[in-house]
Amino acid sequence: MEDKINELVEKIKHLSETEYYQLKIEEENPEITDSKIGGLPYWIEGKDFPTDEEGNKLYLLAQINLEKEKTSAPLPEKGLLQFFIADNDIMGVDYDVQITQKNFRIVYHENIDTAITKEFMEELGIKSSEEAENHPVKGEHKISLTKNKDYATVNDYRFSKIFVQAYKEIYGKEIKSEEKYYNILNDKDTEILEKGLLMNPNSACHKMLGYAFFTQEDPRYDKKYEDYDTLLLQLDSDGYDGDIIIWGDVGVANFFMKKKALEEKDFSDVIYNWDCS
């Protein structure tokens, strides 16, 4: 019955509902301490700048001015959070060991020196991402954050557990937690469920927290990554033919970490993943 499967979709949304921050690309040019993607990063004198495994300086992918964006737990409420990647043909990712920050780096500045200028960055020899040969962001773009509601899609590695609970509440039947939804539902109901959840407008976007989007598969299906339960950042391909951001063949990038580590402001253990179709 179609009414029943629609009830199941709504129950899954209800059970998995959570808050996230959507990142919006703004028209105005960013200042050195603003939230932005690409461009010249904020930095301070005396702090070692992140480098790749060959000693080359990394390039800014994104930075978030947490105080200006008025973020709240589990994100820090102050400081500047930065994401750096290497200028290589796979843009800093290591698909064998995705938590090794040898060609990417997450940096957290608890305090921001508002006196820092673009000219000071240039004096330190720090380059803009616009000078990199292999970088997903074209140019430098100011961003802003808006809090919104999100829910799980069938791509999330935790979806089976959510589905089992929702199915029991709607249909009154117990099913095994490892059962895939498409083995339980008939073809028509499977199509309705996938359409109802995959069409989530909040899924394929730039965001912090909430549920991730993938063109391939959630890397956390790998048992060694299953504790990385929090989406720290997602940047999707964007613009006409990817003229703002482009990941390979129109892909998407995600950073994941453990919620406890995020609450403790420990950014040393983070998954970096990007995939494309």
Side-chain angles (χ1 to χ4, degrees):
M1 293 175 58
E2 192 165 323
D3 287 348
K4 212 71 170 174
I5 188 62
N6 287 329
E7 283 184 51
L8 180 62
V9 170
E10 293 307 311
K11 177 59 69 173
I12 290 169
K13 291 180 180 180
H14 174 72
L15 291 174
S16 63
E17 185 177 277
T18 188
E19 290 186 332
Y20 82 105
Y21 291 91
Q22 184 163 354
L23 278 58
K24 178 186 176 185
I25 297 176
E26 303 288 354
E27 294 291 333
E28 59 189 287
N29 295 324
E31 300 294 334
I32 199 70
T33 60
D34 280 339
S35 300
K36 60 183 173 179
I37 54 171
L40 191 66
Y42 166 90
W43 203 254
I44 55 173
E45 190 172 17
K47 188 179 180 74
D48 291 337
F49 195 82
T51 57
D52 65 17
E53 59 185 335
E54 297 178 353
N56 303 306
K57 285 185 172 67
L58 298 179
Y59 288 90
L60 180 69
L61 174 64
Q63 69 179 32
I64 312 296
N65 187 319
L66 299 154
E67 186 171 348
K68 187 176 291 186
E69 302 301 337
K70 297 181 171 55
T71 54
S72 57
L75 292 173
E77 297 180 7
K78 59 175 291 191
L80 194 76
L81 184 62
Q82 296 176 308
F83 301 77
F84 293 91
I85 59 173
D87 181 16
N88 59 28
D89 58 358
I90 52 174
M91 295 179 282
V93 73
D94 182 342
Y95 293 110
D96 293 324
V97 187
Q98 292 186 261
I99 58 173
T100 303
Q101 295 191 33
K102 61 183 180 181
N103 288 317
F104 80 95
R105 200 73 43 79
I106 312 300
V107 177
Y108 176 59
H109 303 265
E110 190 162 8
N111 298 295
I112 302 173
D113 183 349
T114 56
I116 295 294
T117 63
K118 176 181 177 181
E119 291 70 28
F120 180 68
M121 294 299 99
E122 293 169 345
E123 288 175 12
L124 293 179
I126 297 172
K127 296 180 179 180
S128 167
S129 66
E130 296 169 280
E131 299 183 54
E133 293 183 12
N134 303 280
H135 199 280
V137 180
K138 313 305 175 186
E140 180 181 49
H141 307 272
K142 183 175 181 178
I143 57 175
S144 61
L145 275 62
T146 304
K147 188 177 281 190
N148 206 340
K149 297 289 186 181
D150 202 6
Y151 55 82
T153 73
V154 299
N155 292 323
D156 192 277
Y157 78 121
R158 296 158 295 190
F159 183 75
S160 288
K161 291 181 180 179
I162 299 167
F163 175 79
V164 166
Q165 183 181 348
Y167 190 87
K168 180 181 179 181
E169 291 190 28
I170 298 302
Y171 291 90
K173 297 177 183 178
E174 295 272 4
I175 55 176
K176 295 178 181 179
S177 60
E178 64 270 18
E179 286 282 6
K180 300 297 184 182
Y181 67 92
Y182 45 78
N183 292 328
I184 300 297
L185 304 174
N186 61 41
D187 290 346
K188 182 180 178 181
D189 285 353
T190 295
E191 183 179 353
I192 292 172
L193 179 130
E194 289 180 344
K195 184 176 181 181
L197 297 176
L198 285 176
M199 295 304 288
N200 178 1
N202 304 330
S203 179
C205 67
H206 315 309
K207 65 201 299 186
M208 300 183 78
L209 307 180
Y211 294 92
F213 171 74
F214 309 94
T215 61
Q216 299 291 330
E217 185 178 75
D218 192 334
R220 297 169 296 172
Y221 277 114
D222 187 326
K223 290 292 185 182
K224 67 176 177 285
Y225 296 140
E226 64 183 4
D227 293 334
Y228 294 76
D229 55 359
T230 301
L231 175 62
L232 183 61
L233 177 69
Q234 173 172 289
L235 289 179
D236 200 359
S237 293
D238 196 343
Y240 179 74
D241 203 23
D243 60 355
I244 297 176
I245 310 174
I246 185 74
W247 296 96
D249 185 14
V250 195
V252 60
N254 324 96
F255 294 83
F256 302 100
M257 65 185 299
K258 300 169 186 176
K259 185 177 180 181
K260 186 175 186 297
L262 178 56
E263 292 170 339
E264 294 173 351
K265 305 180 183 69
D266 178 5
F267 298 96
S268 62
D269 188 18
V270 176
I271 295 173
Y272 168 37
N273 180 77
W274 71 263
D275 58 26
C276 59
S277 56

